Structures are given as C-alpha cells and as structure tokens.
C-alpha cells in the first residue's frame, strides 16, 4: 500500500505491436554497441534502441520530503532518466488525501484536487501544486517519457460522519470535496442495499462499492470521470492500481476499456496462478511478486536454484512487471544481482527511485538499462543453476540476444555455455570481464564472472 510518447531516437525503427513498448522481447538495434574506456556503456553516443526501451522508474519512495517540492524534484530529473533509457515514470497518488500536506496519497479524499483547493489543512499536496504537476507531466512527455498515475479506488478517507441506515450507526462516509466532483455518501460504500462487502477492506477505511452506478460513473464512465480527467486534463498515460486484492478484476478491465493506456495492478501475492488469473481477467499487467520472492530466496538465501521457480514473466512476459524494491517492501539486500536479473530477463522492469538515485552505483544501473534496451530480446533459456551460479540465454528477436552469468560465490567462476553464435567474437557488456572469447563452430564458449557479480555476453 505505502504503496509515450516514445523515445525520440536517432534510429527509425517503428514497431507495429502496441504491447511491445513495455516488454523486453522485441527488435533491437544492429548498430555497434559503444563502450566507454572503463567498459561501461557510453550513453552519450545515444546508441540506445527504440525497440527494447521499456524500463519504468518508480519516481518516489515512502515519506518523500514534505513541503510541496517533490513534483519539482522529479521534474528536474526526467531528461536524465529518458537519456538513461527509461520509458515511463510512475508517480504516487497525486490528489488531495485526508492527511493533506503530509499524506503520501493512499488515503484519498478529493480525486480532482491536485493541490488547488484549501481543504484537509492545506492547498498543496505533499508533492506540490496542480501547476507543478502539470509542468512535470509536460516535461516528461517532452523527454519521451510516459507518466503512470497511482490509482487508489478500493477505499476513501476523510469523509464527515453521517447516520448510516445500513449499519445502524454513524459512519465516516459523507464526502463533499471542494472540487465539487464525485460527492459520495453511505450509499456508495459497503454495506449498502445491493452488497454487504466485496473482496476486502483496507485499514478500516470506508470501502467503495464498485457495483454502484454512481461510483462507476465517477470513476471511469462519465466524460469528467476520474479516469478521463486524469488522462485528458492532467495528461496521465497509464495506471498503477493500488491494492487490487480489495475489489474484482472487472473494475480494472472496465477502466482500461474506457480510457486505455498501460496498466499494472498491485496484487501482493506469490502465487503465479493467482497473478496470471488476475492479469487475464483485468486485461492488465501485474507486478511479478512471484519473481520478487524467488529473487529474495535466491540472492539473499544463497540458493540460485530458486530462479528455476515459476514466475509471472515465465507465464506471460507481456503482463509481468518485475521489480527489486518498492515503497512498501525492501527485502532483497543483494540488489546488484537482482537488478542484473530483471534487466536481462523478460518482463517490464521497474527501478526504484532510491536504488537508482541514492543507494546503488548509477553507472552500473545505466549500463544494465542499456543492456536491457539493446540486447535483452527474445525468449529465455535457463542454461545452468546451482546454489552459487546461474546462467541464462536470451535467444534474440531479430538480433543477437545475450548470455547472463550471475555468481553469488566469493570467487571468480568460469563455465562452458551454449550461445546463439558460431565462430563469433563475444564480449562482456557489463565491463566486469575483459575476456573476448571466440565461440566454437558448435556455438559453445567458455565465459567467466566475478565474485558476487555478473557478466553479460553478446557479439562484439
């Protein structure tokens, strides 16, 4: 809970399939890959490819600085993020919430107040004003980034008390926001005359009933609904749905059908069957919690065989958003190996703000993002896994593909692997090895990997 415009590139590769903007198994550039003298990919030469340029930035963390300056902080970074290879940013819930200037937005009150009305103790939100948010979204679009809104529609907060005939007592369900839009009463929440409850309440907040016509009209059906206002007036391009365990997947499906755009649901569950079922029912992507938990067991539990586990990206890469950390959960400590994993494998990887901007080496992260956008295409074949070592091959889609070698031991390791290439010189695009071996006619080659590290091999 604490919970595209495309890149304007120098290449003229144009894709025909709309979903390919958010997956990694797509066409790649055949241009020579440029490395800096240190072995790190040189982004200044703008060699990134449009085809795989699909990495999301979670552009916040829990309890970002209050004071109304967060939109300006992010605004100052979007050009650099676009140049690094990101294609989209996910913003926190942007509208006025019960805790006003101190709220992270997950206690929504007025869906149409982005820092414009004096209510809940402030005019601005924790993040800033309506004008500043629009400026940020405009800057992101100008830089070629899409902007995803965090949508909290399971529950509301901040309503006044009213007598509720369905409960027999007073409930905090009288919402009269100053925007004058989406007024609600006890009839819009559970229990009511048609439904006592849906899939789940959260934190004792009033629980919206999505079967109510008034709720549907104001959330996605009306011309000035939340969904259409966010898209047409504010300029959001996609949606991250909060706590989707709390309501049926048809809600997200109808929202998506009404306004379109990329969407991903926060279904906090490690069951791949459940994740895949929900994604199909909602016609939406879903965060790959199965992958998250497997990586935690693999990298922190020192058992890389856990990467053989079933994951959402293995079931349906088109609908899997992979991640290492988010604003709610930060269990994986061996983040370097985890990012090497998600940025070389299938799915739509999401990078956490503090990992990128504060906690990890930004050069390493930019290198992995570049590798993802230029090399990580095609299906995946797991070649080897034991407690310490893991090797996988991306088989390429109209391109070379790659071999990723991850090592969780304290020593350098070497291994013979079967590649995509015969009689071809390859090199490690991570810069962690200076080997440039030639593959045999049968495509086999010996590669190496540093201790507690990774290497990523492709054609020179």
């Amino acid at each position: 809970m604490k919970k595209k415009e495309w890149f304007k590139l120098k290449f003229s590769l144009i894709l025909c399939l709309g979903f390919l903007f958010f997956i990694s198994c797509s066409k790649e550039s055949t241009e020579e890959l440029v490395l800096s003298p240190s072995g790190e990919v040189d982004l200044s030469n703008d060699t990134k490819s449009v085809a795989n340029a699909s990495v999301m930035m979670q552009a916040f963390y829990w309890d970002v600085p209050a004071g109304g300056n967060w939109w300006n902080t992010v605004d100052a970074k979007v050009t650099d993020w676009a140049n690094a290879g990101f294609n989209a940013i996910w913003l926190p819930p942007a509208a006025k919430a019960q805790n006003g200037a101190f709220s992270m937005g997950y206690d929504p009150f007025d869906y149409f107040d982005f820092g414009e009305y004096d209510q809940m103790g402030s005019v601005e939100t924790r993040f800033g004003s309506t004008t500043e948010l629009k400026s940020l979204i405009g800057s992101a679009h100008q830089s070629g980034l899409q902007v995803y809104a965090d949508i909290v529609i399971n529950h509301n907060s901040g309503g006044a008390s009213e007598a509720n005939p369905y409960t027999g007592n007073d409930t905090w369900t009288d919402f009269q926001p100053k925007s004058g839009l989406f007024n609600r009463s006890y009839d819009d929440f559970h229990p009511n005359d048609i439904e006592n409850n849906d899939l789940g309440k959260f934190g004792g907040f009033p629980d919206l009933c999505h079967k109510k016509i008034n709720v549907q009209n104001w959330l996605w059906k009306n011309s000035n609904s939340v969904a259409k206002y966010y898209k047409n007036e504010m300029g959001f391009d996609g949606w991250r749905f909060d706590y989707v365990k709390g309501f049926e997947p048809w809600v997200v499906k109808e929202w998506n059908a009404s306004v379109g755009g990329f969407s991903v649901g926060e279904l906090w569950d490690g069951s791949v069957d459940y994740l895949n079922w929900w994604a199909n029912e909602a016609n939406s992507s879903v965060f790959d919690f199965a992958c998250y938990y497997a990586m935690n067991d693999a990298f922190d539990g020192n058992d890389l065989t856990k990467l053989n586990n079933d994951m959402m990206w293995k079931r349906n890469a088109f609908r899997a958003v992979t991640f290492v950390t988010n604003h709610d959960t930060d269990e994986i400590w061996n983040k370097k190996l985890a990012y090497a994993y998600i940025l070389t494998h299938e799915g739509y990887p999401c990078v956490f703000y503090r990992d990128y901007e504060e906690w990890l080496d930004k050069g390493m992260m930019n290198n992995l993002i570049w590798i993802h956008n230029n090399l990580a295409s095609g299906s995946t074949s797991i070649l080897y896994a034991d407690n310490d070592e893991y090797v996988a091959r991306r088989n390429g889609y109209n391109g070379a593909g790659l071999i990723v070698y991850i090592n969780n031991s304290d020593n350098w390791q070497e291994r013979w692997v079967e590649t995509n290439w015969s009689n071809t010189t390859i090199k490690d695009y991570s810069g962690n090895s200076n080997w440039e071996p030639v593959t045999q006619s049968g495509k086999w080659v010996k590669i190496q990997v540093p201790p507690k590290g990774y290497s990523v091999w492709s054609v020179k």
Side-chain angles (χ1 to χ4, degrees):
M1 249 291 300
K2 289 193 270 186
K3 316 217 225 303
K4 189 166 345 69
E5 188 172 57
W6 283 93
F7 282 99
K8 296 179 180 177
L9 303 172
K10 295 181 180 179
F11 299 105
S12 59
L13 296 173
I14 301 175
L15 301 180
C16 298
L17 298 175
F19 276 139
L20 291 182
F21 80 92
F22 64 91
I23 62 167
S24 61
C25 44
S26 52
K27 289 179 68 176
E28 63 185 80
S29 170
T30 57
E31 300 259 343
E32 182 181 358
L33 308 178
V34 181
L35 294 180
S36 70
S38 66
E40 186 177 300
V41 174
D42 184 358
L43 296 170
S44 65
N45 288 279
D46 195 24
T47 59
K48 58 186 178 292
S49 161
V50 64
N52 299 324
S54 47
V55 180
M56 185 196 313
M57 167 66 78
Q58 180 179 354
F60 66 100
Y61 53 93
W62 194 252
D63 282 349
V64 301
N69 200 47
W70 189 250
W71 297 146
N72 294 330
T73 298
V74 175
D75 198 343
K77 296 180 181 293
V78 292
T79 299
D80 288 342
W81 290 348
N83 289 338
F86 290 94
N87 84 304
I89 60 174
W90 154 29
L91 299 182
K96 188 68 61 67
Q98 180 181 12
N99 287 320
F102 301 99
S103 176
M104 284 298 296
Y106 292 98
D107 50 340
F109 173 74
D110 188 342
Y111 287 99
F112 297 88
D113 179 6
F114 297 93
E116 185 175 353
Y117 301 98
D118 188 358
Q119 56 185 339
M120 296 299 156
S122 69
V123 175
E124 290 192 343
T125 67
R126 183 188 193 101
F127 314 113
S129 68
T130 304
T131 300
E132 290 165 341
L133 175 57
K134 286 187 172 181
S135 175
L136 162 58
I137 293 172
S139 297
H141 287 164
Q142 188 173 9
S143 295
L145 296 174
Q146 288 207 324
V147 183
Y148 303 154
D150 201 317
I151 302 298
V152 186
I153 55 174
N154 175 74
H155 53 272
N156 289 169
S157 186
S161 178
E162 62 179 347
N164 189 330
Y166 300 115
T167 64
N169 52 34
D170 291 352
T171 55
W172 302 95
T173 49
D174 182 15
F175 287 77
Q176 306 293 325
K178 285 194 175 181
S179 67
L181 303 173
F182 197 13
N183 294 341
R184 16 233 214 262
S185 70
Y186 56 77
D187 201 47
D188 299 306
F189 297 91
H190 294 109
N192 53 54
D193 59 330
I194 64 172
E195 190 175 58
N196 286 328
N197 57 271
D198 55 6
L199 294 182
K201 292 176 65 68
F202 184 87
F205 294 121
D207 187 48
L208 277 171
C209 178
H210 302 93
K211 290 183 179 178
K212 284 289 186 174
I213 297 302
N214 185 58
V215 173
Q216 295 179 16
N217 285 342
W218 276 109
L219 285 183
W220 68 83
K221 287 185 175 180
N222 285 350
S223 60
N224 61 342
S225 64
V226 173
K228 291 171 184 173
Y229 191 92
Y230 277 47
K231 179 180 180 180
N232 300 327
E233 176 64 25
M234 299 304 296
F236 284 103
D237 307 286
W239 325 101
R240 179 267 186 188
F241 289 94
D242 179 67
Y243 189 59
V244 298
K245 274 191 173 182
F247 50 92
E248 299 284 353
W250 64 262
V251 175
V252 173
K253 184 176 183 178
E254 288 203 11
W255 178 297
N256 291 339
S258 179
V259 294
F262 172 79
S263 75
V264 57
E266 184 220 23
L267 185 69
W268 197 326
D269 201 285
S271 167
V272 182
D273 288 336
Y274 188 13
L275 294 169
N276 193 43
W277 172 84
W278 185 91
N280 290 330
E281 290 293 312
N283 191 27
S284 173
S285 293
V286 66
F287 284 103
D288 195 346
F289 276 92
C291 176
Y292 174 75
Y293 289 125
M295 289 193 298
N296 186 49
D297 291 341
F299 300 127
D300 291 352
N302 300 311
D303 183 3
L304 300 195
T305 66
K306 297 298 185 181
L307 299 178
N308 289 322
N309 289 1
D310 199 7
M311 305 177 194
M312 182 62 191
W313 73 257
K314 298 180 182 182
R315 291 281 190 98
N316 191 345
F318 287 87
R319 296 198 185 280
V321 175
T322 55
F323 67 101
V324 173
T325 307
N326 63 32
H327 61 294
D328 277 338
T329 182
D330 191 7
E331 294 184 21
I332 299 173
W333 292 101
N334 203 336
K335 292 182 178 182
K336 179 172 72 171
L337 300 189
Y339 276 112
Y341 182 83
I342 69 168
L343 286 164
T344 55
H345 285 66
E346 293 170 76
Y348 184 5
C350 181
V351 173
F352 184 53
Y353 179 93
R354 301 196 81 171
D355 286 343
Y356 184 82
E357 290 289 340
E358 301 175 14
W359 293 340
L360 300 179
D361 181 81
K362 189 177 289 188
M364 176 197 74
M365 294 296 291
N366 285 344
N367 172 262
L368 283 169
I369 292 166
W370 187 93
I371 286 169
H372 173 271
N373 291 350
N374 289 274
L375 299 176
S377 68
S379 61
T380 303
S381 300
I382 299 176
L383 305 181
Y384 182 81
D386 65 18
N387 285 357
D388 294 330
E389 298 175 63
Y390 172 87
V391 188
R393 182 178 68 228
R394 294 296 299 277
N395 295 306
Y397 179 82
N398 290 345
L402 59 79
I403 301 283
V404 57
Y405 191 177
I406 298 176
N407 176 18
N408 204 27
S409 77
D410 294 323
N411 303 298
W412 279 85
Q413 301 290 347
E414 300 175 1
R415 188 162 295 281
W416 282 91
V417 297
E418 186 178 15
T419 72
N420 298 320
W421 322 289
S422 296
N423 303 314
T424 302
T425 301
I426 65 172
K427 63 181 179 183
D428 171 22
Y429 279 94
S430 74
N432 292 324
S433 169
N434 59 8
W435 279 14
E436 293 190 2
V438 178
T439 63
Q440 298 178 345
S441 58
K443 299 184 179 181
W444 286 80
V445 72
K446 181 189 282 189
I447 56 176
Q448 65 173 186
V449 62
K452 299 296 184 182
Y454 61 90
S455 52
V456 183
W457 303 83
S458 191
V459 296
K460 181 177 179 181

